[in-house]
Amino acid sequence: MEQNFKTYLFDKMGVSTVAFKQLEPHIKTKKVLKGEQLLKAGDVCKHTFYVEKGVLRLYGLDENGKENILQFGTENWFVTDRDSVYFKEPSNYYIDALEHTTVILLDEDFVELVADLNPSFRKK
């Protein structure tokens, strides 16, 4: 279990020790190599990525192929294409790692489980 995410759940989300024990088996970690893509334009984004360690970037390409960076995600930050995740639409963006990165994969089922165990989660 990655420590930054655990601390985030306790300190920022108010998750109790009992609730965390129920969440822990559902927490999925992924190691991403520098340059590896987590999302490509045209794909539906299925996760929000919590950056445990490393750096991600979210960017698009204009009609000339020039990169337009919308977000950098450093440690303890979230990166996703919200429209694609929430509305299940193809993304216009790319997400890749600028260095070797460890992310926590948060999918719809995990978010629902956290919200059921900790009702204040949705507000935050």
Side-chain angles (χ1 to χ4, degrees):
M1 171 76 233
E2 304 297 337
Q3 189 59 43
N4 288 339
F5 187 62
K6 183 177 181 180
T7 300
Y8 177 84
L9 289 174
F10 283 118
D11 294 349
K12 303 285 188 202
M13 293 293 114
V15 170
S16 69
T17 303
V18 172
F20 180 77
K21 295 243 186 254
Q22 292 176 290
L23 290 172
E24 194 168 19
H26 302 278
I27 297 172
K28 298 175 188 129
T29 303
K30 179 177 175 76
K31 304 267 186 204
V32 185
L33 299 176
K34 179 180 179 179
E36 185 178 345
Q37 290 186 324
L38 291 167
L39 177 66
K40 295 178 185 175
D43 292 346
V44 174
C45 188
K46 295 181 179 154
H47 296 95
T48 296
F49 306 100
Y50 176 87
V51 181
E52 178 70 26
K53 180 182 174 195
V55 181
L56 297 179
R57 69 177 173 154
L58 169 72
Y59 66 98
L61 299 175
D62 69 13
E63 60 278 352
N64 297 317
K66 182 179 182 238
E67 292 180 0
N68 295 297
I69 298 172
L70 299 165
Q71 180 185 8
F72 289 104
T74 57
E75 292 173 10
N76 303 309
W77 203 258
F78 294 92
V79 177
T80 194
D81 177 348
R82 289 187 299 188
D83 287 341
S84 183
V85 164
Y86 296 135
F87 301 115
K88 297 177 181 32
E89 298 174 349
S91 180
N92 294 316
Y93 304 108
Y94 298 84
I95 298 174
D96 65 10
L98 293 178
E99 62 186 39
H100 294 336
T101 301
T102 302
V103 296
I104 306 296
L105 303 171
L106 306 173
D107 61 14
E108 189 175 340
D109 292 338
F110 183 81
V111 171
E112 290 297 324
L113 181 59
V114 174
D116 288 346
L117 295 170
N118 183 13
S120 66
F121 177 78
R122 287 200 191 277
K123 294 178 196 171
K124 297 176 183 180

